[in-house]
Every structure is written in structure tokens, then in C-alpha cells.
Amino acid sequence: MSEQTDVRVEDWNRLQREVARLRTLVIIALLAVIALAAVSLLRKPETPTKPDTILRAQGLVITDAQGHDRILIGAPVPASKDRTRKDDASDGIIFLGKTGADRLAVGQLPTLHIDGKTYKRRGDDDNYGMTLYDTKGSERGGLASMGGGRVGLALDRATPPYEAIGLMIDDSENFAGMYINYGDPKARDSAIELGTDTDHASIELKGKDGHARAKLSLDGANKPAWQFDDTESASKAAQPRGH
């Protein structure tokens, strides 16, 4: 025979009130958590998110789908087994063609490279800009800021005398001008030159012998002057005079 425990009415009512109070507190707590989560999701950040890290590397090589090196980035650019040219390690970005020849360089200018041969530039280590190359890796032009205070743009022929046309600003002489060269490697000077300095402006046409055939000049007083010379008189002027 089991024993039966008597529960007083007062105790039962008190227990019911405690359960009801706990239920209310739990509901309030859940509502508070939901409200805080909603506010956090809806609130916009007051300041832009800053990057957490900075990537630092001396070099980077980008390859194509076949695994061949195509873009070299570095200070200096990394050595590459796929690059045809092995003598250059300038600071910048080198884009390689499918054959491994340099096609575009941005940054510190590599040494001049034509038909597989390298030539020294003026102020090699302090020239920066962009260099264009043909499919064989020979230089065909570029834009440069030189360490000596000269800025220039040049386009080259594929054959000697190579340099075809150029624009130049020279700080030392306050000169700005343009030149166009003959395509004949035997020509002694530019075919056309035009430019300005502080006080003068001029346009000059030259023969292959380097002598001026026609020249229009303007000085600071706005006095234009034309000068003409034919081949015969220019040749006589070039001959030494007797005493």
C-alpha cells in the first residue's frame, strides 16, 4: 500500500505563480536577444571597413593556362626560364609574348635591346616609363622620364637607323621639340626638326648631308625669318676656305 503525500493549497498556488513568473522572464529574454540581433544586422557601419592585411612580396609571376610565364612583376623582376632575354633585371612589370620575347615593359626602363644586342642608355638606373617591343623582342618605341631632367616619347623603325620620330622636353635648356629622321642609315642628321626654347621657335628641313635647306625662325620680338639654301650652295659652304 503506497503512501499519499498531502499538498497544501497554499503551496500549490505559490508554485504556479513561480512557474508563471519564470515563463514570463524566459519570453522577455528571448525577445531581447531577437531585438539585439535585428539591430545588429540592420545597423550600417559608421566607417568603411579597412583591409586587414597588406601583401608584401619581392616578386610575382603570372602564368597562362599552359603554365608558361607571361607577366613578371618585381623589384627586380623575377628570373624566368620562359623569358628569351636573360640580361635584364629591372624594377617593374614585364609582359612576355607567346615565344618568351619581351612585348611591354612598365617601370624602370630595361637597357636598350635591338636584334638580340643590348645598348647602354643615358642614365640607365634612373629612367622610368614604358617600352614597346616587336614580336622578336626588339625595342620599337616608348615613353620615358629620364633622371637627367628630360621627358621623351619615341617611335622606332624595324630597320636601321631605327629611331624614326620623337618628342622631347629638356629641362636644362628649357627646350621642347620634335624631330623626324630619314629612313636612310647614311643620313647625317634629322630630316625635320621643330621646337621652342625660352625666346625662340623654329622649323628646319635638312638634307641627308645634315645641312639645313629651309628654316623658319621666330625670336622673342616676333620677327619671323625665312632661310633657304640649295644643295650646291650648302656644299660650297661646307668646303674649307683658302687663306
Side-chain angles (χ1 to χ4, degrees):
M1 183 175 179
S2 60
E3 296 181 354
Q4 184 175 359
T5 302
D6 295 331
V7 178
R8 294 186 304 170
V9 175
E10 293 83 357
D11 295 335
W12 174 256
N13 291 336
R14 186 172 61 254
L15 180 61
Q16 290 288 90
R17 288 194 299 270
E18 292 295 334
V19 170
R21 187 180 299 110
L22 289 175
R23 185 185 299 113
T24 301
L25 291 175
V26 169
I27 293 174
I28 293 174
L30 288 174
L31 291 175
V33 171
I34 294 172
L36 289 174
V39 170
S40 178
L41 291 174
L42 294 175
R43 184 176 55 192
K44 295 182 179 180
E46 296 179 359
T47 57
T49 303
K50 296 182 179 180
D52 294 331
T53 58
I54 297 176
L55 179 63
R56 296 182 184 274
Q58 185 174 348
L60 178 65
V61 177
I62 307 297
T63 62
D64 59 19
Q66 288 72 41
H68 300 298
D69 297 347
R70 297 299 297 273
I71 304 175
L72 311 178
I73 306 172
V77 292
S80 169
K81 59 181 178 57
D82 294 320
R83 188 183 183 191
T84 302
R85 186 175 180 180
K86 306 296 183 183
D87 66 322
D88 172 68
S90 55
D91 299 345
I93 306 174
I94 306 292
F95 294 81
L96 304 179
K98 293 181 179 180
T99 62
D102 291 12
R103 295 305 312 276
L104 174 66
V106 180
Q108 184 184 30
L109 297 187
T111 52
L112 181 61
H113 193 75
I114 299 176
D115 292 336
K117 296 181 180 181
T118 300
Y119 303 89
K120 183 176 177 62
R121 296 183 194 272
R122 181 185 303 175
D124 277 342
D125 296 334
D126 205 16
N127 299 335
Y128 285 79
M130 178 179 66
T131 309
L132 305 174
Y133 301 88
D134 63 16
T135 56
K136 296 180 180 179
S138 292
E139 186 168 323
R140 292 301 304 271
L143 171 67
S145 175
M146 318 293 280
R150 178 180 293 183
V151 180
L153 170 66
L155 298 176
D156 303 332
R157 291 185 172 93
T159 57
Y162 299 114
E163 195 168 15
I165 185 171
L167 300 172
M168 182 181 67
I169 298 174
D170 192 328
D171 296 342
S172 62
E173 300 178 0
N174 200 20
F175 173 82
M178 174 181 178
Y179 61 87
I180 301 175
N181 293 334
Y182 284 104
D184 185 353
K186 296 180 180 180
R188 295 185 179 183
D189 207 339
S190 301
I192 303 173
E193 293 183 3
L194 60 91
T196 64
D197 57 20
T198 304
D199 298 312
H200 303 85
S202 65
I203 300 176
E204 190 169 5
L205 306 179
K206 297 181 179 181
K208 290 185 181 181
D209 57 4
H211 294 293
R213 295 291 180 266
K215 182 177 181 179
L216 171 62
S217 58
L218 184 68
D219 62 18
N222 295 325
K223 296 179 180 179
W226 276 104
Q227 295 176 344
F228 295 96
D229 202 350
D230 58 24
T231 304
E232 183 178 356
S233 59
S235 298
K236 291 180 180 180
Q239 294 177 359
R241 297 181 179 179
H243 297 283

